[in-house]
Amino acid sequence: MNAIRNKVQLIGNLGQDPEVVNLESGNKVAKFSIATNETYKNTKGEKITETQWHNVVVWGKLADVVEKFLLKGSEVAVEGKLIHRTYETKEGEKRYVSEVKCNELLMLGKQ
């Protein structure tokens, strides 16, 4: 069961072009958000679509792939783990972030 602890799998579309940063260490990180949609019918029979946004972070060679091939609207499947972290703004406000640390990525649809 350890293989499925803290495992996230999502299929969605990028909301904007990825943000890619080359770090001083030589490592590369790519960040983007994806939208996942769930559609259902309410009690009146109306079709309802709910969209959830997920922040995704990709490191290393996989970040190279993201930089070269992904654009706003690209459909992807991502697999990774859920990370929660906090940071402080310049104004001293504490912020909380949840994101998916991606370790596998599959490009879907037309590229």
Side-chain angles (χ1 to χ4, degrees):
M1 285 299 255
N2 283 336
I4 60 173
R5 287 184 197 256
N6 194 6
K7 185 174 186 177
V8 177
Q9 296 177 324
L10 299 169
I11 296 176
N13 296 85
L14 273 70
Q16 75 277 345
D17 290 345
E19 175 188 331
V20 181
V21 177
N22 292 300
L23 303 174
E24 289 180 19
S25 65
N27 207 355
K28 185 178 283 190
V29 62
K31 296 181 180 184
F32 56 91
S33 61
I34 63 171
T36 57
N37 296 314
E38 181 180 353
T39 304
Y40 62 92
K41 288 190 178 182
N42 65 13
T43 56
K44 297 178 183 176
E46 300 166 326
K47 184 178 174 182
I48 305 293
T49 300
E50 290 185 355
T51 302
Q52 298 289 322
W53 288 93
H54 312 275
N55 296 319
V56 180
V57 178
V58 184
W59 291 88
K61 292 183 181 184
L62 202 50
D64 288 331
V65 172
V66 168
E67 182 178 35
K68 288 180 187 176
F69 298 106
L70 296 186
L71 298 170
K72 177 180 179 177
S74 298
E75 185 177 23
V76 294
V78 297
E79 182 175 296
K81 65 180 182 176
L82 193 58
I83 302 291
H84 302 287
R85 60 183 177 85
T86 60
Y87 67 94
E88 212 171 278
T89 65
K90 292 177 183 176
E91 294 79 29
E93 297 176 16
K94 198 168 192 178
R95 299 285 170 98
Y96 300 88
V97 178
S98 295
E99 54 199 11
V100 176
K101 182 179 177 187
C102 177
N103 55 33
E104 289 190 44
L105 183 132
L106 180 62
M107 294 177 282
L108 305 171
K110 296 179 182 178
Q111 297 298 320

